[in-house]
Structures are given as structure tokens and as C-alpha cells.
Amino acid sequence: MMHAQEYQYRTLKLLQLNPEMTQRQLADTLDVSLGKAHYVIKALISAGFIKIGNFKSSNNKIGYTHFLTPKGIREKAALASRFLEYKQEEYSRLRKEIRNLKVEVQRTTLNL
């Protein structure tokens, strides 16, 4: 399960790369419910990190384009930094756990 800041970071990153991404596409990409995707987008709009504009799609439906604001671009960079730090700590914990498991497996196989 992702942390809230990870959802925000990944959402900002995805919308920056594909501003016309629908909430349904975003939900599918993030592997979350449509409601969760909607909640994250609303939170990012409320915080002033993204703005939404209208566009006409080829089949005459109105669609939306998501624009990262300057504040949103700064926040994306800050989230990336925090996310990197979190992932590095997680990586260190996993390396330690793997090391301990290897020792346990070696001890177990020696006692058989």
C-alpha cells in the first residue's frame, strides 16, 4: 500500500507527463479505486498544485487537461526528495532483513 505522499507524487508525475489523463486512467495506472484517484486530484487542486482546463476531444466530448502550477512543480520536487529518502530507508531495512534471513537459512540447513 502506498503512502499518501507517494500517491501525490505519482499523481503529479503522471499528470505532468500526460495532462489529458482521465481520473479512470489515473486510477488504473496507480492501481487504486476511481474514488481514491478523485480524492487525490481534488486534494491537489485544493492545495493549488494543479489546475484543470477544458478541451474538446475528437468525439465532441469535453475532457479535462491537468496543469501543474508553479507551486505544484515545486511540491513535486519536494515530494520526490522525501519519497527518495523514504525509499532509501526502506531499502536499507530490506537489506538488513535479507541479511538476517540468509543467516537464519544457513543455520537451519546446518542443523538438518
Side-chain angles (χ1 to χ4, degrees):
M1 179 180 247
M2 280 190 260
H3 187 273
Q5 289 186 347
E6 185 175 354
Y7 283 119
Q8 290 179 349
Y9 167 71
R10 291 184 188 270
T11 299
L12 288 170
K13 183 177 177 181
L14 286 167
L15 294 179
Q16 188 174 36
L17 294 172
N18 186 1
E20 295 174 1
M21 180 176 263
T22 66
Q23 286 186 17
R24 188 169 307 283
Q25 291 168 328
L26 183 65
D28 289 344
T29 303
L30 293 175
D31 196 27
V32 298
S33 69
L34 184 57
K36 174 74 173 185
H38 179 76
Y39 175 81
V40 172
I41 288 176
K42 285 291 206 185
L44 293 172
I45 291 169
S46 294
F49 298 150
I50 60 174
K51 287 185 179 182
I52 295 187
N54 294 337
F55 73 92
K56 283 272 195 189
S57 64
S58 60
N59 57 1
N60 294 325
K61 289 184 181 178
I62 295 288
Y64 298 99
T65 304
H66 305 86
F67 299 100
L68 268 69
T69 64
K71 184 178 177 182
I73 292 169
R74 287 190 301 275
E75 180 63 12
K76 180 180 162 269
L79 285 168
S81 178
R82 290 191 300 268
F83 184 55
L84 175 61
E85 185 178 318
Y86 170 78
K87 285 298 189 180
Q88 286 175 324
E89 289 170 3
E90 181 180 43
Y91 176 70
S92 293
R93 285 191 303 274
L94 283 171
R95 286 185 58 178
K96 183 178 180 181
E97 184 177 352
I98 288 168
R99 221 177 12 255
N100 291 339
L101 285 169
K102 284 181 178 181
V103 169
E104 183 180 335
V105 167
Q106 286 175 346
R107 286 182 185 158
T108 304
T109 56
L110 289 175
N111 291 332
L112 290 178

